[in-house]
């Protein structure tokens, strides 16, 4: 069968089988379009149904999560875990707690995770999970009771050699601690490698908190170096103010950039003097308050209610680090009109397909999420390695390994883009580089 027709046919069949799952469709479409030249060169992938199999999760779990709030009221949320592909290692991917979580979002995240994990060069497969539980405004006791209930069901399907969850939106060190405590209680074993993002005093890794943000900057820095540029004196806008955004801002500042804006789901702050990161960390990591508190400490700064307005700010480098589809086609055009030279995706799929096309058609250096934000899962895998060895590396050792992983992702992305005729298209390059390793492993293991 003609490669293009094969890809189009498989995509249409996927849409019919997953009706209404818009985010999942979007993630699959972006990858599938990139793979047409691969199938032209490797018909054995068609013959062995690689595409049909890779787009169907190996296992989809959905379950009830009952818990009791501080007032004694029974609440019920829905839990998910998608175990997408284990061809190159145990399922690996975060848990997201957010009211928007549904099957489509968890499947898009799990599908992306297959290729992202492959790109790291480490032996980890793709998975994702979460719940429509909203941790905002909840007490520590409520979050603990939810996490314990969630893990009571999830523990049946995870393990250090089967599926290793981590954190994502709404899941930080506090939540991982409660989840790990309940797992240990239920299993009566100290299986440190079952979860990553743990506290340093019970099996966690240094640099894990910083990993996604640092990794993003390491990847974008490689893109800039490839064109004879650097972060020095560049104006940077970062959406979000969670772990990814905070540590992307930190590393960008260390490399000489001037970060002038960041946001949360309510609005964004603009500081022409450069964002004071200590203030952001105090607001978000200690006080757990909204970003608008920043202007109480910095009178020259501005706060704007509409968080998407952050993309109207003139900048050299844009780093979307909040959530999916936060930059649309029009916002991409505004960024280009304002002189953006590089975009690095710190969040998962933060640019719509139309926005990505606008960036690529206008020569913007574009680091797609599955390559640019792979640092988090890379250090999660390094945490698993340390747990297996009963040993901990220093901050500098982990950071150096992370930097090397991101450099290799960039090198392999560039190599595949050029080999398949898409020079400077890091979207295609990352998709192909991530796919080839998984596809070859699937071929070797037979029709399973």
């Amino acid at each position: 069968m003609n490669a293009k027709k094969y890809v189009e046919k498989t995509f249409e069949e996927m849409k019919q089988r997953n009706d209404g799952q818009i985010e999942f469709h979007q993630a699959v479409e972006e990858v599938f379009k990139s793979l047409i030249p691969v199938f032209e060169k490797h018909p054995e992938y068609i013959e062995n149904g690689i595409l049909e199999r890779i787009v169907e999760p190996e296992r989809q779990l959905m379950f009830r999560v009952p818990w009791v709030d501080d007032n004694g009221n029974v609440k019920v949320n829905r839990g998910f875990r998608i175990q997408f592909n284990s061809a190159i290692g145990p399922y690996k991917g975060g848990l997201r707690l957010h009211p928007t979580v549904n099957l489509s979002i968890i499947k898009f995240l799990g599908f992306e995770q297959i290729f992202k994990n492959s790109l790291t060069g480490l032996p980890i497969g793709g998975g994702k999970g979460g719940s429509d539980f909203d941790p905002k405004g909840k007490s520590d006791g409520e979050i603990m009771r939810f996490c314990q209930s969630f893990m009571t069901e999830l523990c049946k399907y995870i393990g250090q050699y089967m599926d290793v969850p981590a954190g994502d939106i709404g899941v930080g060190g506090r939540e991982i601690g409660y989840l790990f405590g309940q797992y240990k209680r239920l299993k009566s074993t100290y299986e440190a490698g079952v979860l990553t993002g743990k506290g340093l005093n019970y099996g966690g890794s240094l640099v894990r908190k910083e990993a996604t943000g640092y990794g993003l900057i390491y990847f974008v820095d490689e893109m800039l170096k490839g064109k004879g540029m650097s972060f020095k004196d560049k104006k940077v806008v970062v959406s979000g103010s969670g772990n990814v955004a905070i540590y992307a801002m930190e590393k960008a500042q260390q490399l000489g950039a001037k970060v002038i804006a960041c946001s949360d789901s309510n609005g964004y702050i603009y500081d022409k003097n450069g964002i004071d990161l200590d203030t952001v960390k105090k607001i978000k990591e200690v006080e757990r308050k909204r970003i608008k508190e920043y202007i109480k400490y910095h009178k020259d700064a501005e706060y704007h209610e509409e968080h998407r307005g952050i993309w109207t700010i003139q900048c050299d480098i844009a780093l979307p680090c909040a959530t999916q589809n936060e930059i649309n086609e029009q916002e991409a055009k505004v960024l280009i009109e304002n002189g953006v030279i590089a975009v690095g995706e710190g969040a998962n799929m933060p640019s719509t397909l139309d926005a990505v096309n606008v960036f690529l058609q206008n020569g913007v250096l574009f680091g797609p999420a599955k390559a640019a934000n792979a640092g988090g899962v890379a250090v999660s895998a390094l945490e698993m390695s340390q747990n297996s060895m009963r040993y901990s590396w220093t901050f500098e050792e982990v950071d150096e390994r992370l930097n090397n992983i991101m450099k290799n992702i960039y090198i392999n992305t560039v190599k595949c883009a050029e080999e398949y005729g898409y020079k400077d298209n890091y979207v295609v390059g990352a998709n192909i580089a991530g796919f080839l390793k998984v596809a070859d492993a699937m071929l070797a293991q037979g029709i399973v």
Side-chain angles (χ1 to χ4, degrees), residues 89-144:
Y91 311 107
K92 185 84 191 76
L95 297 170
R96 174 174 293 192
L97 300 183
H98 195 274
T100 61
V101 164
N102 57 36
L103 186 60
S104 176
I105 285 175
I106 296 300
K107 284 173 74 172
F108 116 64
L109 292 167
F111 184 71
E112 288 273 296
Q113 205 76 42
I114 301 170
F115 310 102
K116 182 189 302 184
N117 293 359
S118 173
L119 283 167
T120 68
L122 301 168
I124 43 177
K128 203 74 180 183
S131 172
D132 57 2
F133 172 82
D134 187 359
K136 287 181 181 175
K138 303 293 193 301
S139 69
D140 286 350
E142 289 173 325
I143 288 173
M144 181 183 72

Side-chain angles (χ1 to χ4, degrees), residues 196-377:
T196 57
K198 300 182 296 296
L200 292 175
N201 55 358
Y202 64 99
S205 174
L206 290 162
V207 193
R208 179 60 191 90
K209 181 168 66 171
E210 298 87 351
T212 308
Y214 277 22
L216 169 63
I217 301 304
Y218 292 148
F219 186 89
V220 174
D221 194 39
E222 291 301 312
M223 289 200 305
L224 293 169
K225 287 177 180 176
K227 299 301 179 183
M229 297 183 287
S230 72
F231 269 98
K232 186 170 176 56
D233 298 326
K234 298 294 191 299
K235 288 184 179 179
V236 178
V237 165
V238 182
S239 68
S241 49
N243 264 7
V244 182
I246 286 174
Y247 292 100
M249 289 190 282
E250 180 172 279
K251 183 56 68 174
Q253 289 177 347
Q254 289 175 9
L255 295 181
K258 185 177 184 180
V259 181
I260 55 175
C262 67
S263 65
D264 62 17
S265 57
N266 283 8
Y268 71 92
I269 54 169
Y270 167 71
D271 191 337
K272 64 181 180 181
N273 300 317
I275 295 293
D276 185 303
L277 202 53
D278 289 338
T279 303
V280 175
K281 286 182 179 181
K282 178 183 177 182
I283 294 167
K284 287 297 181 178
E285 295 185 334
V286 180
E287 299 174 348
R288 296 178 185 270
K289 292 182 178 179
R290 308 308 294 173
I291 199 64
K292 65 182 177 183
E293 298 292 317
Y294 184 92
I295 60 174
K296 292 182 179 179
Y297 302 95
H298 301 276
K299 301 303 181 184
D300 288 342
E302 302 172 12
Y303 174 72
H304 301 268
E305 284 290 344
E306 176 47 61
H307 64 92
R308 294 188 78 123
I310 196 170
W311 304 122
T312 64
I313 298 172
Q314 189 170 11
C315 64
D316 302 303
I317 299 170
L319 304 175
C321 297
T323 191
Q324 67 269 9
N325 292 330
E326 58 174 294
I327 299 180
N328 60 29
E329 181 180 10
Q330 184 55 40
E331 288 157 341
K333 289 177 179 177
V334 171
L335 280 166
I336 290 167
E337 289 170 5
N338 286 335
V340 74
I341 60 172
V343 176
E345 295 191 314
N348 291 301
M349 203 170 71
S351 309
T352 66
L353 293 176
D354 288 336
V356 173
N357 289 333
V358 168
F359 290 135
L360 295 177
Q361 289 165 7
N362 285 274
V364 173
L365 293 173
F366 183 78
K370 62 175 61 67
N373 79 7
V377 74

Side-chain angles (χ1 to χ4, degrees), residues 350-425:
S351 309
T352 66
L353 293 176
D354 288 336
V356 173
N357 289 333
V358 168
F359 290 135
L360 295 177
Q361 289 165 7
N362 285 274
V364 173
L365 293 173
F366 183 78
K370 62 175 61 67
N373 79 7
V377 74
V379 173
S380 278
L382 296 179
E383 181 177 330
M384 292 165 64
S385 298
Q386 292 170 83
N387 292 156
S388 295
M389 295 189 295
R390 305 291 195 273
Y391 185 76
S392 294
W393 294 317
T394 66
F395 188 100
E396 291 74 21
E397 287 175 311
V398 180
D399 192 32
E400 183 180 1
R401 283 178 165 86
L402 169 61
N403 199 345
N404 287 333
I405 287 170
M406 299 311 296
K407 285 180 180 178
N408 286 330
I409 291 175
Y410 172 76
I411 290 168
N412 291 331
T413 295
V414 170
K415 179 184 175 183
C416 282
E418 291 182 352
E419 182 180 341
Y420 285 87
Y422 288 85
K423 190 176 188 298
D424 291 334
N425 188 324

Side-chain angles (χ1 to χ4, degrees), residues 36-182:
I36 293 172
V38 175
F39 289 105
E40 290 172 346
K41 191 173 183 179
H42 296 281
E44 66 271 21
Y45 294 152
I46 299 177
E47 295 161 8
N48 286 271
I50 295 294
L51 213 53
E52 292 92 335
R53 289 191 284 145
I54 208 168
V55 80
E56 186 67 28
E58 292 174 9
R59 191 174 293 109
Q60 302 183 59
L61 307 169
M62 188 184 303
F63 49 91
R64 182 178 66 200
V65 187
W67 57 281
V68 180
D69 70 15
D70 288 342
N71 296 318
N73 300 311
V74 175
K75 303 290 184 179
V76 178
N77 287 98
R78 184 172 284 176
F80 301 90
R81 187 67 182 173
I82 303 297
Q83 297 174 332
F84 227 114
N85 192 289
S86 59
I88 62 174
Y91 311 107
K92 185 84 191 76
L95 297 170
R96 174 174 293 192
L97 300 183
H98 195 274
T100 61
V101 164
N102 57 36
L103 186 60
S104 176
I105 285 175
I106 296 300
K107 284 173 74 172
F108 116 64
L109 292 167
F111 184 71
E112 288 273 296
Q113 205 76 42
I114 301 170
F115 310 102
K116 182 189 302 184
N117 293 359
S118 173
L119 283 167
T120 68
L122 301 168
I124 43 177
K128 203 74 180 183
S131 172
D132 57 2
F133 172 82
D134 187 359
K136 287 181 181 175
K138 303 293 193 301
S139 69
D140 286 350
E142 289 173 325
I143 288 173
M144 181 183 72
R145 291 190 290 275
F146 168 83
C147 288
Q148 289 175 340
S149 180
F150 185 84
M151 181 54 78
T152 297
E153 182 65 21
L154 185 67
C155 74
K156 304 169 187 175
Y157 310 103
I158 63 174
Q160 62 183 339
Y161 300 113
M162 182 200 308
D163 185 354
V164 183
D168 192 77
I169 293 173
V171 178
R174 173 182 56 176
E175 291 75 19
I176 292 294
Y178 293 147
L179 291 165
F180 183 73
Q182 182 73 348

